[in-house]
Every structure is written in C-alpha cells, then in structure tokens.
Amino acid sequence: MNKPNFAIEAHALSKHVDGQAILVRVDLQLECGQCIALMGDNGAGKTTLLKCLAAIKKPSSGTVCWFGRPAATEVSERRLIALKPHEDCLYTHLTAYENLMFAARMIGLPNPANRSQDILWKLGLSRVSDTPVRQLSKGMRQRLGFGRAVIHDPPIWLLDEPFAGLDDSSRNQILQIIREKRRTGGAICFSTHQDLDIEELDAQVVQLHQGTTFLSQPNASSAFFNRKRAS
Amino acid sequence: MNVLDTAKQVGWLLHKDLVVEYRSRLAWPVMFLLGIIVTIVFSLQTSLPREYLPSTASTMLWLATMFAGLVAIDRTGIAEDQDGCSVGLSLYPLSGSTIYVAKFLVNLCAILVLLGVLVPIFSLVTDLSLAKHVGAMVIVAVTGSAGLAAVGTLVSNLTRDLQQRGAVLSVLLLPLLVPLILAASEATRLIAVDEVGTQWWRWVQLLVAFAIDFATVGIVLSHYLREE
C-alpha cells in the first residue's frame, strides 16, 4: 500500500514558552486537495501551530515535513508555503501595489508587476492600488494581507483566521479563491471560530484544546463535531 | 539562491526601507536634529586653546555622530516590527544574513548622510579645517560609518524581542563602540592637523578591520538569530 503524499506532516509537535506548554505532541497530516479547519478557544495554540507548520517558530520537540522533507531546510523551500498570520504584514507607508510588488520581488516571481495587478483585481482592490496602506480600511488591509501571503500561489496555504473582520462581499471573494485553490490540488489549513467557514469550505475539523488535538473528523462541519462531542 | 538573486533581494529591501523612511520621516529628521544640536552645544560649551582644538573637536564630531546614529539604527529596527512586517519578512525565501546586509546598508546610508551634514557644520562652528584632505576625510567617514552601522545593526538584531529595546541597545552598543570612536577621532584629528601619513593610515586600517569584523559576525549570527 502506497504511503499518502502529505503536503504537510507534523509529528509529535510540542512547543513550550517560559515553561508553559503551548502545543503538546500534536500530530497532523494534510494532503494535497485537503482543507483543515483548526478550531479552539483563544490561547488553544492555533496560531502557534500554524507558525510551527510554516517553520517560522521552532518547535521544542517534534518534526514538521513539507512534501516528505524536513520543513525549510533551505530558504528557497519557503516558496512552497503561504502563511497569512493574524497581522497584515503590510508596510503602511507603501501603497497596496507597492506592498504586493515588494512581496513578489522578495519571492523572486518572474513577472511581479502582472502578478500584483492580478491579485489586486481578484481581491477587488484595483481601485485602491495606488493608495497608501495606512489609508485603507481594516477589511481592505485584511484582503491585501491575504493577497500578499498567497501572491506566489504555493501548494500549501496556512491561514490564521482569514475571514476575521471581513464583510460578506470580501469574505466571498476570499472563499472563492480558497475553493479554487483547493480544487486545483492545494493543501489548506486555516484557523477559525465560525461554523459557517467550515461548512462553506467543507473542511475537516481539528479541535485544539490546551495545545492538544482531540478530534479530527473527515469532512465534518462543526455542527457535526458538536453533536459528536455532546454524544 | 545564487549571488545575483541575493543581491537583488538586498537591493529591493534597501529600496523599500529608503522609500518608507522618505515617506514616514520616522528616523532621519530626529537623527539630524539630535546631531546638529549636540554639535552646536558641544562647540559652544568648549573654549579651548588652539592646540587642543583638533583632538577635542574630532572626538565631539564622532560622539555626535554616534548618538544621532543610534537613533536611526533603533528606529530602523522598530519600523520593521510594526504591523507584523518582520513576520512577513521571515516568510520570504531569504536568509537572515540577507536581511542583515540590507539593514546594514540602510543604516550606513543614514550615518553617511548625517556625516555629510555634520562635518561642514562642525568645520564652521569649530573653525576646524577638514577641507584640505577631502579624500582622506571621505575614507574616514565611510570606514567609521561602516563600523558604526555594522555593530549597530548587529546589536539591534540581538535586542529585537526585548521590551526595553532602546535602553538595552545603548547600553550594549556604547562599550563596543569605544575603539571605533577613538580610531575615527584620531584619524580625523590627523586630517585636521595636516598629518595624513602612515600614522593616519594605521587608524584607517583599524577602522576597516573593525567594520569587517563586526559585519562578518553580524552576517554569521543573523543566520541563526532569524529562528525563533
């Protein structure tokens, strides 16, 4: 029997900060075309888990592999993942377009100008492309931050509450982009507090509680998850 | 990643930082103001016999540059930490060393521009003649600034996650900068007294060695510092 080709695989991942356990022996596998929703209370470890999966936080123990190889052993492998953290990661004195151009150039995309325009158009931000980020609304910044993260269209997307603070129209635009990515084989892991996000993306739920995953149910909405937990 | 790609990344980081500074005016105006005030206050408060003027004035010039330069170095680091931009940087396929080199160049630009403003003002208010050996003064300014930027960028990286970053930066930096200030002051004094010879060249060599040593340590350490 062939071993599944996991896009991301975390094994016995633990993270301790100042003696406090943030993650405790977390195991997680994410295949291409699969979508996982991380749920849990504030402080459950969702953001830390996403940052460990993205290899920008070093775990205290355990391993993270991208496509079967230890994560980010070479800097060029960072092109395999996109992480949209809770922060926007945008330079407020640069325009929306300049922020995307900077990201595209740092990643080394072959045609940064076209790619930046394309992302602005997809996110409905073309009309504010020359506006400094500090003058954009919270929702626009959120969308732009999402665009900055996925500008290189990598196979693995890690999204920390990607729909937080968005209106319906903006939310739908990002949902559409995520669905399209999943349809074309992308591996997506996102954190959320909303049942609706899970249902609309038909995501597998992974519940985090005090740093431990305690339920992972394929193609389960959180309603299903809640019923299961109640029973 | 080949050298050309890395050089391009350094170039774009430098470009971004200079554009952000031009628009935000976060560091440079404060740096100029502090440098000019320190220069003028120093020069007004000291009335020395003519023979002591070159050594005292040279030291004052470099102390003013150091104090004002620290402001620029500190604020360059702070600007990157706003709105999670440093997290964003860590997600790009670039090494910590690349970021160090870019930040070093940004700080070097700031200190060189600062010296470009301070040296003429200093010559004016202290009646110190540095114009006779412009080339020699440029060499001292470049090597001295490179040393200050190399140490400053390194310590700024080391103190990135500390709460009292500004205070710790100064406490760690000032002792490290003593040899640089002594060498740069002495090299400047020799220019002022028209003795640009072997002795001057030795001080310049010390400045070059200082800059290369700390830049090398910064490049190597930054590779590891990037991991949380």
Side-chain angles (χ1 to χ4, degrees), chain A residues 88-99:
Chain A
D88 298 324
C89 305
L90 299 170
Y91 295 95
T92 52
H93 288 89
L94 299 183
T95 66
Y97 175 71
E98 286 169 340
N99 266 285

Side-chain angles (χ1 to χ4, degrees), chain B residues 4-77:
Chain B
L4 187 63
D5 288 339
T6 306
K8 277 184 187 170
Q9 286 178 326
V10 169
W12 288 121
L13 279 166
L14 180 64
H15 174 260
K16 181 266 296 173
D17 277 348
L18 292 177
V19 170
V20 167
E21 176 52 38
Y22 176 73
R23 290 181 191 167
S24 68
R25 295 173 176 86
L26 187 71
W28 288 27
V30 185
M31 174 184 76
F32 287 134
L33 192 66
L34 181 65
I36 291 167
I37 287 173
V38 171
T39 303
I40 291 172
V41 170
F42 275 169
S43 58
L44 290 179
Q45 291 297 312
T46 49
S47 51
L48 293 166
R50 186 83 198 155
E51 63 266 29
Y52 295 120
L53 186 65
S55 62
T56 311
S58 305
T59 309
M60 283 177 190
L61 170 68
W62 281 98
L63 282 177
T65 305
M66 182 187 72
F67 288 132
L70 282 183
V71 174
I73 290 165
D74 186 30
R75 298 219 170 186
T76 309

Side-chain angles (χ1 to χ4, degrees), chain B residues 176-188:
Chain B
L176 286 174
L177 287 174
V178 169
L180 176 103
I181 298 298
L182 286 175
S185 303
E186 194 54 22
T188 308

Side-chain angles (χ1 to χ4, degrees), chain A residues 15 51 54 56-58 75-79 81-85 87-95 98-99 102-108 134 141 148, chain B residues 1 5 8-13 15-17 19-20 23-25 79-80 82-96 223 226-228:
Chain A
K15 177 73 181 173
K51 286 186 174 176
I56 61 165
K57 253 193 201 309
K58 204 172 180 179
V75 287
S76 60
E77 288 175 1
R78 292 216 162 272
R79 292 192 180 92
I81 62 137
L83 171 69
K84 161 71 181 81
E87 309 93 339
D88 298 324
C89 305
L90 299 170
Y91 295 95
T92 52
H93 288 89
L94 299 183
T95 66
E98 286 169 340
N99 266 285
F102 176 70
R105 283 167 172 157
M106 282 296 104
I107 293 163
R134 66 179 184 280
R141 282 189 193 202
R148 184 209 62 80
Chain B
M1 298 285 283
D5 288 339
K8 277 184 187 170
Q9 286 178 326
V10 169
W12 288 121
L13 279 166
H15 174 260
K16 181 266 296 173
D17 277 348
V19 170
V20 167
R23 290 181 191 167
S24 68
R25 295 173 176 86
E80 198 66 68
Q82 286 176 342
D83 298 309
C85 292
S86 55
V87 176
L89 267 192
S90 63
L91 290 164
Y92 298 130
L94 59 145
S95 67
H223 181 72
R226 206 165 166 230
E227 291 184 352
E228 275 191 67

Side-chain angles (χ1 to χ4, degrees), chain A:
Chain A
M1 193 171 149
N2 288 336
K3 193 181 170 188
N5 184 20
F6 293 119
I8 276 199
E9 188 172 18
H11 177 64
L13 205 63
S14 296
K15 177 73 181 173
H16 299 267
V17 178
D18 297 331
Q20 190 188 350
I22 310 293
L23 297 174
V24 184
R25 295 188 66 80
V26 169
D27 290 314
L28 190 105
Q29 285 95 27
L30 181 61
E31 290 175 45
C32 292
Q34 191 184 8
C35 185
I36 282 181
L38 293 176
M39 291 197 84
D41 299 334
N42 292 330
K46 302 186 294 293
T47 298
T48 305
L49 177 56
L50 285 172
K51 286 186 174 176
C52 285
L53 293 177
I56 61 165
K57 253 193 201 309
K58 204 172 180 179
S60 306
S61 61
T63 54
V64 175
C65 292
W66 299 341
F67 295 102
R69 294 186 59 195
T73 41
E74 288 177 28
V75 287
S76 60
E77 288 175 1
R78 292 216 162 272
R79 292 192 180 92
L80 292 173
I81 62 137
L83 171 69
K84 161 71 181 81
H86 209 62
E87 309 93 339
D88 298 324
C89 305
L90 299 170
Y91 295 95
T92 52
H93 288 89
L94 299 183
T95 66
Y97 175 71
E98 286 169 340
N99 266 285
L100 293 181
M101 280 291 283
F102 176 70
R105 283 167 172 157
M106 282 296 104
I107 293 163
L109 295 184
N111 200 337
N114 281 3
R115 184 63 189 151
S116 302
Q117 296 286 10
D118 186 40
I119 287 281
L120 285 169
W121 179 78
K122 275 186 180 167
L123 292 167
L125 294 170
S126 294
R127 70 190 165 84
V128 293
S129 68
D130 294 328
T131 306
V133 166
R134 66 179 184 280
Q135 291 173 15
L136 298 181
S137 69
K138 178 84 177 80
M140 284 176 172
R141 282 189 193 202
Q142 176 85 348
R143 273 185 283 164
L144 187 62
F146 175 83
R148 184 209 62 80
V150 304
I151 193 164
H152 53 308
D153 194 25
I156 303 167
W157 288 14
L158 305 168
L159 312 169
D160 196 357
E161 299 191 29
F163 309 110
L166 294 180
D167 60 25
D168 285 348
S169 147
S170 309
R171 185 175 175 280
N172 286 335
Q173 279 170 328
I174 291 189
L175 267 174
Q176 188 59 38
I177 293 171
I178 295 175
R179 278 200 205 103
E180 178 63 19
K181 182 66 195 174
R182 186 179 180 188
R183 197 182 60 76
T184 55
I188 294 151
C189 181
F190 69 101
S191 67
T192 183
H193 293 284
Q194 305 296 324
D195 295 348
L196 192 62
D197 299 341
I198 297 160
E199 283 166 19
E200 292 200 41
L201 286 169
D202 193 23
Q204 177 181 342
V205 176
V206 171
Q207 185 80 5
L208 269 169
H209 179 67
Q210 294 180 348
T212 313
T213 50
F214 70 88
L215 186 73
S216 174
Q217 181 65 45
N219 301 318
S221 70
S222 63
F224 174 88
F225 163 73
N226 286 333
R227 284 200 301 277
K228 182 102 174 167
R229 187 166 54 171
S231 68

